[in-house]
């Protein structure tokens, strides 16, 4: 990628913001909401955005963790790529996107014919994005809270997440017997948590 009319490119795509950062830590930001281009520095960016910008300035393609953007007042994550000129890294270009992409994916209506539920989970057990249609208590912020899962199941979850491995099992919630399956997405330690009622469509390990 080389420097160009990146602000026009942002206006023509679905990203909510784009930032071009020079190696000296100064740059420009364009948001589709305002349509304006403003001068910024690294200090104006969220720490998670700074992390990926610095990686991109080292020549790496990176993606940030989810964070709340003060400029947009919503949760986003950022892709960052190095910008080259004559074979040398001269800056970094980052594009911010909302978590709607995950919200759409976790909509229970699209999972297993409506019989399943998906959530996006961090490797510390925190819920990042919930399905709109869920059988998990909305007040539950972390997989390890409360008594939805047995202590043995919690330990199995914790061990798998620490190793970046998949894990499956069962739990009971408000009289509903549920299967669950957690699979790593290989991005920022994020996991996809899938659950369905026993008697619904089979989960992956049931089809082996």
């Amino acid at each position: 990628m080389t420097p160009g009319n990146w602000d026009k490119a942002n206006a023509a795509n679905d990203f909510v913001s784009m930032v071009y950062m020079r190696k000296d830590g100064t740059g420009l930001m364009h948001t589709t909401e305002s349509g304006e281009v403003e001068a910024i520095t690294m200090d104006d960016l969220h720490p998670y955005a700074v992390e990926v910008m610095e990686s991109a300035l080292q020549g790496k393609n990176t993606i940030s963790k989810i964070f709340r953007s003060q400029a947009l007042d919503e949760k986003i994550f950022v892709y960052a790529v190095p910008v080259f000129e004559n074979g040398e890294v001269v800056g970094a270009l980052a594009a911010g996107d909302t978590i709607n992409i995950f919200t759409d994916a976790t909509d229970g209506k699209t999972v297993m014919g409506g019989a399943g539920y998906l959530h996006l989970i961090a490797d510390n057990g925190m819920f990042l994005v919930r399905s709109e249609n869920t059988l998990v208590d909305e007040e539950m912020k972390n997989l390890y809270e409360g008594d939805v899962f047995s202590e043995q199941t919690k330990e199995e979850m914790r061990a798998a997440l620490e190793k970046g491995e998949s894990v499956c099992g069962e739990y009971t919630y408000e009289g509903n017997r549920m299967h669950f399956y957690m699979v790593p997405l290989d991005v920022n330690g994020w996991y996809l948590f899938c659950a369905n009622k026993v008697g619904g469509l089979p989960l992956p390990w049931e089809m082996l």
Side-chain angles (χ1 to χ4, degrees), residues 13-134:
N13 62 43
D14 294 330
F15 294 124
V16 294
S17 65
M18 289 187 78
V19 172
Y20 175 68
M21 189 66 65
R22 306 177 188 90
K23 295 194 74 173
D24 65 3
T26 64
L28 301 168
M29 180 171 68
H30 175 268
T31 62
T32 53
E33 182 175 318
S34 69
E36 300 294 328
V37 176
E38 61 178 298
I40 62 168
T41 68
M42 280 286 199
D43 293 337
D44 296 315
L45 300 178
H46 188 281
Y48 288 166
V50 171
E51 286 180 9
V52 296
M53 276 296 192
E54 290 178 342
S55 292
L57 289 171
Q58 296 299 315
K60 302 175 183 177
N61 296 345
T62 50
I63 181 172
S64 79
K65 297 178 181 179
I66 294 171
F67 63 93
R68 178 166 290 279
S69 166
Q70 291 186 344
L72 301 168
D73 193 29
E74 60 181 319
K75 290 184 178 180
I76 68 170
F77 60 102
V78 172
Y79 309 92
V81 297
V83 176
F84 295 92
E85 193 170 81
N86 299 323
E88 298 291 330
V89 177
V90 295
L93 186 65
D97 204 352
T98 68
I99 63 172
N100 289 340
I101 182 175
F102 293 119
T103 303
D104 293 342
T106 57
D107 184 348
K109 296 177 183 176
T110 66
V111 183
M112 300 177 181
Y117 307 88
L118 287 176
H119 305 286
L120 189 67
I121 307 288
D123 57 7
N124 61 1
M126 296 294 292
F127 285 91
L128 297 174
V129 182
R130 296 174 182 271
S131 169
E132 292 181 1
N133 304 290
T134 177

